[in-house]
Amino acid sequence: MTAQLIIFYLLGAATVLSSLGVVLTRNVVHAAFMLLVALLAVAGIFLVAVAEFLALAQILIYGGAVTVVVLFAIMLTRTDDQPRADHSQRALAMLAAIGVFGLLVVAFVVSDVASLESATGVATDGETGFENLALGLFTDWAIPFEMASLVLLVALIGAIMLARNLEDGE
Amino acid sequence: MSFTDILFAFAGLFGLFSALAVGVLSLTWLERKTLARIQQRAGPSVVGPHGLLQPFADAMKLVTKEDIIPAYADKLLFWMAPVFVAIPAFLIWLAIPFGDGIAVRMLDLGLLYVVAISGIGVVGLLMGGWASSSRYSMLGGLRAAAQLVSYEIPIVIVILSIAVLVQSLSLDAVIAGNTITVGEATRDLPGQGLIPFAFVMPMGFVIFFIAGLAELGRTPFDIHHAESEVVGGPFVEYSGAHWAVFFLAEYLNTFVISALIVVLFFGGWSWPSPPESIFGHDLSGTTTNFVGGAWFVFKSYIVAVTIFWIRGTYPRLRIDQLMTFAWQVLIPLSFVNFVLIAVVLFYDWPLWMMPTLSLPILIGAVIGVQRGRGVRGRPQTVRVLRRSAGEIGRPMPNAPTQTQIAGEGHAGD
């Protein structure tokens, strides 16, 4: 067993345990912090897989930004005044979660991961991986990339519109 | 990775962290002396010559002080918060080059690493603010998060502009230069040993410096632990060693922002190039690296003193001014800077076009901010006070109620 494998299993265990914590804890703020731990552990797994760029992007976007936004939303809506868990939708939520998880597993089993690299033409390992990724993103995959940013922009404007109406009451 | 590699990594980490601890202690002394000079006091002067041993005495005091945890605090998160702030502050230093190729770990993605790691500290502040279960802490934590997330954007865009300029994300290339290819044209970008990027990208430098101050939460951007508003912000309930760890992180971050300003805009170890010989002693080869490293640290201290100087001389901004400034001034300016550098490189213009184009924009922005200051930034309360001062004895037309005044203050957020 190599050192990489041991680190991978440790990080994997951390990811799984903290993800379980996100779902099982009654305290929403604790759940948000567990989410942070899970996301950082995934970044660690990326590092073990020598995908430095992915790991740093994961830390930057999920560790730094997304968690802060989630925490912000929770803290500003003052969850302490409300009942801590919503029991009425539990069965439905479980069903949805299991369905999505099953879909993911099926997708993972059906798709041939090994041949993905040749399909996208993007080798992400080694020193040139980052450069290849950039070239791929801005040439062959430019339109999906721009679509993603468009979706984000729409979400941003939508959020601003919603917040404005609530605040001014105009 | 062999055993010796691991051993070297540990030795490097140990050396770096010890050096950083000394650096932090010296910075606290330096800050107190600088502030004292500005405020016409003597500053620390009792322990040791010129109070030089004061930081050690302070550290002793803080570590042996009683560590109070509030009864209603969330114990685990309360414990973890200072750690969450301090670890990223240490980790950033792994990628900072002290000399030609000398860093604990020379990363290909150094610029991205610095940006990514520095983003985690915010979570620690939010965590501390929430776990203390105190309103002041909570408000301080939320303010810190809002402020740090906003000011991170201009910093990232400026770092991105530098990455575009040197066509690399490695901090080594930022200092030593690179061969860059834009479209068909290839040119050698000389390292910062010749021209530091502060002169190539003056606007980027100004944006980075201001946003860096805000990222540190130092005056004039210390609204999240402003004594007169939220007492100590996320740190109110902390005492003893925990509090010390928070402030260790704060000084580490001050040092790292200073170091980053030196690396990104003032050539790190290379500008002005360290002397080849001193008093007849040849300094070429390995010794040059030590001289370069000392030079780099010296320049970082100069930037740190500038930051302390600003703290001593500027009043604190209000939270709405702070957020307006980030979103309406710094972020658009950083985008302008980014587009400018891309245009200059794409059309293969000489690099001096960059300052000639950006300086007028920068000066225009400064004038614009000065002019617009009284108009948009003035809160309702000030207007009400002025009006009531002029019309004493008469009822104010459409006098706003208390809740309206309180609500107006947040409108600009």
Side-chain angles (χ1 to χ4, degrees), chain A residues 71-85:
Chain A
L71 281 171
F72 229 89
I74 294 172
M75 288 177 176
L76 284 180
T77 47
R78 305 214 312 180
T79 42
D80 280 349
D81 300 348
Q82 295 155 11
R84 284 192 168 172

Side-chain angles (χ1 to χ4, degrees), chain A residues 104-125:
Chain A
L104 270 178
V105 169
V106 169
F108 199 74
V109 170
V110 169
S111 62
D112 186 3
V113 181
S115 68
L116 268 183
E117 190 177 297
S118 54
T120 52
V122 178
T124 48
D125 56 330

